[in-house]
Amino acid sequence: MSGTIWVLVADATQARLFSTTGSKEPLLELKDMLHSAGRSKISDLVTDQPGRYSGSGHTGIHGMEDGQDIKNQERDIFAREICALLEKSHRQQRFHRLYLVAPSHMLGAFHKHLGKDVKKRIPEEFDSLLVKLSPAEIRNHLPKYL
């Protein structure tokens, strides 16, 4: 575990995990995870109309869930899957430090599901969308000390 640095670069549909041993070393891709449900259209995620109810004292019928809620649920499912991998890897002492690179909505989802021991290994995180870039391009966007 000594000195091994992991960099997780993610969005709501893809996560890439990299390893490096120092600031002048390249990022080596360890894993690429895809969440195909997060890429689906909302209409493909919902097979039926949203639940409906007719509230007392209200006129009309109202939808109980909108498409954005479904997308948020899918993002949360993916974040939980990624965090489970990070938790397991931490228990196996596979990394010493972990950097998170993701849009703010994903960073929030990670914080929701990461345990305190893994959180202690995160010295810094970056609110950026870099998941589609090459490892060298990602490295160029990261601070020189990392």
Side-chain angles (χ1 to χ4, degrees), residues 108-129:
F110 292 145
H111 283 285
K112 183 176 166 183
H113 296 291
L114 283 174
K116 64 180 179 176
D117 291 335
V118 173
K119 287 180 182 177
K120 288 179 187 177
R121 297 287 177 188
I122 303 172
E124 198 167 359
E125 56 191 43
F126 307 95
D127 181 356
S128 296
L129 181 57

Side-chain angles (χ1 to χ4, degrees), residues 11-127:
D11 65 14
T13 62
Q14 184 178 9
R16 296 170 67 198
L17 188 60
F18 298 92
S19 176
T20 188
T21 54
S23 62
K24 297 185 186 207
E25 300 300 318
L27 293 178
L28 304 173
E29 192 160 359
L30 301 173
K31 189 165 185 72
D32 187 357
M33 301 170 69
L34 294 175
H35 185 64
S36 59
R39 294 172 186 247
S40 300
K41 294 179 187 175
I42 292 170
S43 60
D44 293 338
L45 294 172
V46 180
T47 58
D48 226 37
Q49 289 293 323
R52 303 239 178 233
Y53 71 96
S54 176
S56 62
H58 299 282
T59 57
I61 297 175
H62 310 280
M64 292 177 68
E65 185 170 300
D66 67 4
Q68 192 58 43
D69 287 342
I70 294 168
K71 285 288 196 181
N72 290 342
Q73 288 172 5
E74 288 302 324
R75 180 188 67 221
D76 200 58
I77 289 167
F78 190 43
R80 204 172 348 179
E81 180 183 338
I82 294 165
C83 289
L85 171 71
L86 294 173
E87 293 286 342
K88 179 180 177 183
S89 298
H90 177 260
R91 285 191 303 275
Q92 295 171 341
Q93 300 183 350
R94 295 189 58 205
F95 62 89
H96 178 68
R97 285 182 286 164
L98 172 65
Y99 291 88
L100 302 178
V101 182
S104 59
H105 63 273
M106 278 306 288
L107 292 173
F110 292 145
H111 283 285
K112 183 176 166 183
H113 296 291
L114 283 174
K116 64 180 179 176
D117 291 335
V118 173
K119 287 180 182 177
K120 288 179 187 177
R121 297 287 177 188
I122 303 172
E124 198 167 359
E125 56 191 43
F126 307 95
D127 181 356

